[in-house]
DNA sequence: AAGTGGTCTAGACCACCCC
DNA sequence: GGGTGGTCTAGACCACTTG
């Protein structure tokens, strides 16, 4: 754990917000004060603050000071989170059921999405995710077998993201998602326990590690019942 | 036009990419070379490059160099663009038809979204946007009358964003969007020329200026025929 | 070993806000 | 005028990649 100073400072301040030691609208110490407080240069403080500002944790106003962002803006908007973290944070009961788990070969379309060669082995996993025993999300996930030689159903029954980051020590960087609307056909309706014709959000996403490697492609169906997508589009 | 140096340098390099003088995978000059080329300090160069990196224009690899991003990644993913710009960029024929235009008063729900007082005057505009005379997007837009006292149907028939930025000199900062799926009811189906039950993407968005003022709230319906949403979710 | 980007320092001047 | 954040400089050391 050798984080650079500016990241340590950023997560330190983030911690103060998370633990309610700093609340909406509160004025942060000035950059000069933070300099002596952390005993670093101003550039380092500013880099830490820049990071927090980009995540909308704080607002910097020239000539006045730096404030904790009070707007109800969900900062989670664009964060990529695992299902478990996500739902826990909302205080709901999560669970997950693996419907299918097999090793197969990538066809042309999948190979292109994962940036691998055709016919390379991939795990194909179908999972149903439930909240309070209500089916909510149907996931079709494809992961290159080369990256995860010991992948098992057990792992997919817990948190996929925890496995990748904690057990494998890989760093997830981002996911690229395409969102479209789709109506439930008979099979989707049965699985997700809705009526045929019910509106679903379909998200196709490619997950990338920090070195640019694609670690998964997945097609997920969400009922609009408990989910929506929050996007912040910067001009 | 008094842009800081780092932004000038960033847009200068962006320009080289736009005009194809630099192409996918090309190696940029080293930071040291850029320093003497632009006669600025390394920090300034790095700030310019950091900006381009965040927009995925370039990729910086420690120990190797800085490259033009070659991946097919649409950098437009999260950009907020007006309909006209957007469609022109795709080489299609755009048009727009104002179905309704009236001055009304904000109810509680709308007032909250626009961060104004209840009963403040707002323009309520319904527009149908067409591509090659095909209806594609239905827009319900609400704009505070205080911000745009001279708003007219003519303006809404051209580009709303151009009006705000060019004519009014206001700077649009971002929009916060919530995406859900919805099926077309009779009215939506008639307007958008699809069948009842057709899947639509509904986007509710709040537009903010650089000073944090909300300048519009809108609810837009997209047919999934020609549109999808591209999202890049950073971990 | 040489070169790259990643981090960091200790200064400086400016534009802006508020008293 | 005094304080804030915004920009910029000229150094420095490090980790990493490559010959």
């Amino acid at each position: 754990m050798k984080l650079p100073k500016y990241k340590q400072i950023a997560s330190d301040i983030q911690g103060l917000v998370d633990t309610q030691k700093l609340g909406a609208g509160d004025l942060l110490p000035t950059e000069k004060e933070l300099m002596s407080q952390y005993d670093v240069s101003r550039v380092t403080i500013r880099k830490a603050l820049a990071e927090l500002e980009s995540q909308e944790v704080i607002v910097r106003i020239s000539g006045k000071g730096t404030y904790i962002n009070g707007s109800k803006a969900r900062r989670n908007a664009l964060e990529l989170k695992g299902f478990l973290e996500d739902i826990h944070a909302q205080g709901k009961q999560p669970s997950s059921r693996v419907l299918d788990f097999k090793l197969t070969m990538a066809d042309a379309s999948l190979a292109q999405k994962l940036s691998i060669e055709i016919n390379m082995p991939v795990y194909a996993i179908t999972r149903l995710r439930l909240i309070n025993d209500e089916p909510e999300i149907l996931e079709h996930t494809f992961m290159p077998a080369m990256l995860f030689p010991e992948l098992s159903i057990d792992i997919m029954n817990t948190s996929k993201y925890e496995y990748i980051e904690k057990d494998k020590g890989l760093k997830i960087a981002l996911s690229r998602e395409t969102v479209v609307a789709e109506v439930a056909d008979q099979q989707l309706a049965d699985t997700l326990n809705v009526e045929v014709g019910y509106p679903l959000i379909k998200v196709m996403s490619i997950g990338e590690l920090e070195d640019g490697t694609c670690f998964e492609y997945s097609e997920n169906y969400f009922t609009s019942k408990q989910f929506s997508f929050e996007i912040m589009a910067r001009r």
Side-chain angles (χ1 to χ4, degrees), chain A residues 15-231:
Chain A
L16 294 179
V17 177
D18 290 344
T19 59
Q20 315 271 341
K21 276 164 193 140
L22 284 173
D26 284 4
L27 187 61
L28 250 70
T30 66
E31 297 182 351
K32 197 187 286 186
E33 284 170 330
L34 290 171
M35 280 170 68
S36 58
Q37 191 174 319
Y38 288 101
D39 195 32
V40 296
S41 76
R42 186 163 169 229
V43 178
T44 305
I45 291 294
R46 285 184 59 71
K47 203 164 178 188
L49 295 183
E51 192 137 301
L52 293 173
E53 187 179 33
S54 79
Q55 297 165 190
E56 294 211 296
V57 177
I58 59 173
V59 178
R60 294 199 278 184
I61 303 177
S62 181
K64 293 182 71 177
T66 303
Y67 300 85
I68 302 295
N69 186 350
S71 82
K72 56 267 154 202
R74 325 150 185 17
R75 235 171 318 100
N76 291 349
L78 277 178
E79 280 176 24
L80 168 63
K81 290 199 171 188
F83 180 74
L84 296 179
E85 302 174 57
D86 227 26
I87 303 303
H88 267 136
Q90 296 176 33
K92 293 178 183 168
Q93 291 297 328
S95 62
S96 156
R97 191 184 306 153
V98 175
L99 302 183
D100 195 25
F101 183 101
K102 65 184 173 205
L103 191 60
T104 175
M105 290 189 298
D107 62 18
S109 156
L110 181 59
Q112 196 222 324
K113 284 171 182 119
L114 286 172
S115 298
I116 60 174
E117 303 297 320
I118 295 179
N119 289 335
M120 296 280 276
V122 292
Y123 286 105
I125 303 130
T126 303
R127 275 201 300 188
L128 186 63
R129 292 154 162 293
L130 311 94
I131 302 176
N132 298 333
D133 289 326
E134 264 293 289
E136 289 294 340
I137 313 175
L138 180 65
E139 281 192 1
H140 297 290
T141 304
F142 303 90
M143 304 168 82
M146 280 179 59
L147 283 178
F148 311 103
E150 76 289 4
L151 195 66
S152 68
I153 290 190
D154 272 0
I155 289 167
M156 294 307 291
N157 266 322
T158 60
S159 173
K160 177 175 62 180
Y161 290 104
E162 222 167 78
Y163 160 70
I164 293 170
E165 298 212 302
K166 296 257 166 63
D167 298 3
K168 302 282 296 182
L170 300 173
K171 280 189 196 154
I172 299 172
L174 55 85
S175 79
R176 302 178 191 283
E177 313 183 340
T178 301
V179 179
V180 299
E182 208 166 296
V183 293
D185 59 18
Q186 188 66 55
Q187 193 192 328
L188 280 169
D190 289 348
T191 312
L192 287 168
N193 196 25
V194 295
E195 279 145 40
V196 172
Y198 194 91
L200 302 173
I201 302 172
K202 179 182 182 185
V203 180
M204 292 151 284
S205 87
I206 296 172
E208 290 182 19
L209 301 175
E210 270 197 346
D211 65 359
T213 311
C214 298
F215 72 92
E216 72 165 348
Y217 169 71
S218 71
E219 298 188 343
N220 302 334
Y221 295 89
F222 296 75
T223 64
S224 277
K225 269 185 290 186
Q226 306 203 33
F227 288 97
S228 67
F229 283 74
E230 311 287 332
I231 303 174

